[in-house]
Amino acid sequence: MNSMLTTDRQDERLQSREGLRGAITDVVERARGGDLGVIPVVVGLIVIWTVLQILNPVFLSSANLVNLTLESAAVGVIALGIVCVLLVGEIDLSVGSVSGLSAAVLAVLFVGQDLPVWLAIAASVVMGAVIGWVYAQLYNRFGVPSFVITLAGLLAFLGLQLYVLGTKGSINLPFDSGLVAFAQLDFVPAWLSYTFAVLAAGGLFLTGYVHARERRRAGLSAKGVPVLALRSAALLVVLLFVVWYLGQTRGVGWMFVFFVALVLIMHYFLSRTKWGRSVYAVGGNVEAARRAGINVKAVYTSVFVLCSTFAAVGGILAAARLAAANQSSGAGDVNLNAIAAAVIGGTSLFGGRGTAFGALLGIIVIQSISSGLTLLNLDSSIRFVVTGVVLLLAVVVDSVARKSRTSHGRA
């Protein structure tokens, strides 16, 4: 009799969690337990946008936001690779140099050797993947810390970039090439942008419904259809407004769409595949993952290869955006901004926590600060200081949340 009452109460609890109130309660409980998700970065982005808009009304104009999205894509792709490495508790300090070398190789092969652009792009991407594979071998076979490996790579590939460019130091890409047009001139037609928005909202509902059905079959709590529909409707309204607002000037750039597509692909692999679960497991506890039968060395190899590959792709996009590859490609703050974007986006430096969307949110925060302070005609030193403060706050929030998860038994 008591067992029947207990089962009935559990069923009632599961059903209550499927409603809107249950969903809100679940979010509150997770936040109290230290699982903040993207809440801090979204709140921070709202605050940053509000302050910058008050200081300069041009900041949230359609024209400036279009530029912001296009400027975010190249470093955002690099940050996506950093997310993969941070998820296993490692780091790659050479992504800036790898991106610069990739841009140099692209320019030399495409302009200097007159090879087809697609072949030059393929060679640059393969080069990035090989670099990541070499990193993985040094890490897996010899146990060299990733910090040391990638720091050496930072210096070595910077020198190799200068060697590849030669005495010219700069190579311009043809403005009439499809690659430059993709980064500077090509925008999604309005009807297709709205179609993408509808498909994104529909995809969110469909994936949420399938996931909820699987959880119910396993006897676990799950979001109800009304909650899933409300969430998808909210996303649809936001995306339709964004598409409409950006369409007041040039619209949504194909390069930014490409970046978002990569984020969605990586989100799927990280959250819906065995490989993704293995990445989180290794980042959470390497020894436990090894004893569970996970090929830890293969996981490390995959994330290092992905990180360097994304760095190469980001370097190609940056060169296309600038229509040139030079000695400063990948230099300056590219390296630090990519790492900062991943961390600010919610990826934990301790490993095991973060999402692909962290790269998207983080780079928008970084680029918003850069764009806003540029509009205010402030020196770049101020931008570095503000970005550093935001990064420090993100790490502090992550540390506090980690302690809270530990105290609640969710670490």
Side-chain angles (χ1 to χ4, degrees):
M1 188 67 172
N2 291 334
S3 61
M4 293 177 60
L5 290 174
T6 302
T7 302
D8 291 340
R9 289 173 183 171
Q10 290 176 346
D11 291 340
E12 291 175 359
R13 192 175 299 137
L14 291 176
Q15 291 174 1
S16 65
R17 285 296 180 90
E18 294 181 355
L20 180 59
R21 181 180 299 178
I24 296 175
T25 302
D26 184 59
V27 172
V28 173
E29 289 180 356
R30 289 167 65 91
R32 287 178 177 176
D35 191 0
L36 300 177
V38 298
I39 295 176
V41 66
V42 171
V43 172
L45 187 60
I46 293 174
V47 172
I48 291 171
W49 279 15
T50 301
V51 172
L52 292 176
Q53 177 65 13
I54 292 174
L55 295 176
N56 191 327
V58 177
F59 175 72
L60 290 181
S61 65
S62 176
N64 188 59
L65 291 182
V66 169
N67 287 329
L68 191 152
T69 57
L70 291 176
E71 295 296 334
S72 299
V75 181
V77 172
I78 301 175
L80 188 58
I82 292 292
V83 168
C84 296
V85 170
L86 288 180
L87 285 176
V88 296
E90 300 300 331
I91 190 65
D92 189 339
L93 300 177
S94 68
V95 288
S97 296
V98 173
S99 69
L101 176 60
S102 171
V105 170
L106 168 74
V108 169
L109 294 180
F110 179 36
V111 179
Q113 302 298 323
D114 200 27
L115 293 179
V117 65
W118 65 267
L119 186 57
I121 292 174
S124 298
V125 173
V126 170
M127 179 206 65
V130 170
I131 290 173
W133 182 83
V134 172
Y135 285 167
Q137 302 313 303
L138 292 172
Y139 182 85
N140 288 329
R141 294 179 180 273
F142 302 103
V144 183
S146 60
F147 181 91
V148 177
I149 297 172
T150 57
L151 181 60
L154 182 155
L155 299 173
F157 296 127
L158 175 59
L160 189 56
Q161 174 187 346
L162 300 179
Y163 175 79
V164 170
L165 289 173
T167 56
K168 292 183 178 180
S170 179
I171 301 177
N172 294 326
L173 302 180
F175 277 98
D176 58 351
S177 65
L179 181 61
V180 175
F182 174 77
Q184 297 184 4
L185 305 174
D186 289 348
F187 290 85
V188 184
W191 66 270
L192 187 55
S193 297
Y194 287 114
T195 302
F196 284 155
V198 174
L199 291 176
L204 178 64
F205 177 82
L206 182 60
T207 55
Y209 178 79
V210 172
H211 183 60
R213 185 176 60 182
E214 292 176 352
R215 288 182 61 86
R216 290 193 192 94
R217 287 177 178 176
L220 302 173
S221 62
K223 294 182 177 66
V225 173
V227 175
L228 296 174
L230 181 62
R231 185 180 65 174
S232 298
L235 177 64
L236 179 61
V237 170
V238 171
L239 291 180
L240 290 177
F241 174 77
V242 169
V243 169
W244 170 81
Y245 191 66
L246 295 181
Q248 300 303 301
T249 50
R250 290 178 291 171
V252 182
W254 273 111
M255 188 167 72
F256 185 71
V257 172
F258 174 73
F259 169 42
V260 174
L262 289 180
V263 171
L264 292 175
I265 292 171
M266 286 307 304
H267 174 72
Y268 171 80
F269 279 103
L270 287 171
S271 61
R272 292 288 186 268
T273 65
K274 181 180 178 181
W275 171 80
R277 291 189 292 271
S278 298
V279 169
Y280 283 106
V282 171
N285 191 313
V286 178
E287 189 57 33
R290 183 179 289 110
R291 294 185 179 186
I294 294 175
N295 189 338
V296 175
K297 290 185 177 181
V299 171
Y300 281 128
T301 300
S302 66
V303 295
F304 277 118
V305 169
L306 279 173
C307 186
S308 292
T309 301
F310 280 131
V313 174
I316 293 170
L317 294 179
R321 180 69 181 158
L322 186 62
N326 51 48
Q327 294 177 346
S328 63
S329 297
D333 57 356
V334 172
N335 201 40
L336 297 180
N337 280 347
I339 298 174
V343 176
I344 291 173
T347 305
S348 176
L349 289 170
F350 305 100
R353 287 198 172 263
T355 65
F357 288 107
L360 175 61
L361 294 173
I363 193 58
I364 290 178
V365 171
I366 296 290
Q367 196 58 44
S368 295
I369 295 172
S370 177
S371 175
L373 297 183
T374 300
L375 290 174
L376 295 174
N377 293 321
L378 295 178
D379 189 79
S380 59
S381 60
I382 304 298
R383 175 170 61 86
F384 288 132
V385 171
V386 174
T387 304
V389 171
V390 173
L391 174 61
L392 180 60
L393 289 175
V395 176
V396 169
V397 170
D398 178 44
S399 299
V400 173
R402 187 168 181 265
K403 290 182 179 179
S404 179
R405 290 194 299 269
T406 301
S407 63
H408 286 79
R410 297 183 178 181

